[in-house]
Amino acid sequence: MAIDDLLDEHEQSEKVRTWLQANGAGLIGGVLLGLALIGTWQWWQARQARARVETGEQYQAAIDEIQAKNLAQAQPRVAALPDGTYASLAALDLAKAQLTAGQTDAAIATLRAVKPSEPALSAIVTQRLARALIDAGKAGEALRLLPAQGTDAGMLQVAGDLSFDEKAAAASRVGGAW
């Protein structure tokens, strides 16, 4: 019986050896392909993380320039940011600093250049642009920015400011209070 067991084990090892000879290249290729895919995935993830860190550093450098009131140096830094949330937020901060510095036309140009990807951020940019246009005395342009059926509270407030500005301008032309 021991000899039969040895023969069975021998036959089994021969079957395994034959299978490995027939499928060994595919097995090794599959393992290598799997390792290559894992390595490529990790490289891609590290690359994406580095890009996010670099964008964050560029954003912080732009914000530092804005806070230091170096608007001439901040403007190209903001323009160099890749499209996305960082670029939109930096442009909003730059426009605010420009308005504070009395550079209304530059702030309007900065706000017009913003191309936000999120709808909520787009509404904020539109509201701020409309307010800057109202401050610059360009109520007609501000009116064209507002949606016809605006139900957003911020947009309604801007429309009210626009209406108040137009009434005040009309009253000053007439010479009396409205």
Side-chain angles (χ1 to χ4, degrees):
M1 185 154 167
I3 293 177
D4 288 340
D5 288 342
L6 288 177
L7 290 177
D8 286 341
E9 289 176 14
H10 179 70
E11 287 174 358
Q12 288 177 356
S13 67
E14 285 298 318
K15 285 183 178 182
V16 169
R17 187 174 300 132
T18 304
W19 184 86
L20 284 174
Q21 287 174 347
N23 300 313
L27 183 64
I28 291 171
V31 168
L32 291 176
L33 180 64
L35 290 174
L37 287 173
I38 290 170
T40 303
W41 178 255
Q42 288 178 347
W43 170 80
W44 177 258
Q45 291 295 318
R47 182 174 178 246
Q48 292 295 331
R50 275 192 312 274
R52 286 190 297 270
V53 167
E54 288 173 8
T55 302
E57 288 172 352
Q58 290 173 349
Y59 170 76
Q60 188 60 48
I63 295 301
D64 290 343
E65 292 290 341
I66 292 168
Q67 289 175 347
K69 299 195 182 355
N70 297 331
L71 302 182
Q73 290 86 7
Q75 196 164 10
R77 286 187 186 266
V78 170
L81 286 169
D83 288 341
T85 305
Y86 278 140
S88 300
L89 293 175
L92 286 171
D93 283 345
L94 177 61
K96 180 180 178 183
Q98 288 170 330
L99 283 171
T100 303
Q103 302 172 2
T104 306
D105 291 335
I108 290 170
T110 300
L111 289 171
R112 286 184 190 217
V114 177
K115 304 292 185 233
S117 55
E118 293 92 18
L121 200 52
S122 179
I124 292 170
V125 170
T126 302
Q127 290 172 21
R128 290 192 183 176
L129 178 57
R131 289 187 187 279
L133 289 169
I134 291 169
D135 288 345
K138 301 175 182 177
E141 289 182 50
L143 184 60
R144 286 191 291 273
L145 287 175
L146 300 177
Q149 297 297 324
T151 58
D152 179 4
M155 289 294 188
L156 291 173
Q157 186 177 15
V158 171
D161 291 345
L162 180 61
S163 176
F164 177 78
D165 187 58
E166 288 175 346
K167 288 179 183 177
S172 67
R173 283 191 300 268
V174 173
W178 48 279

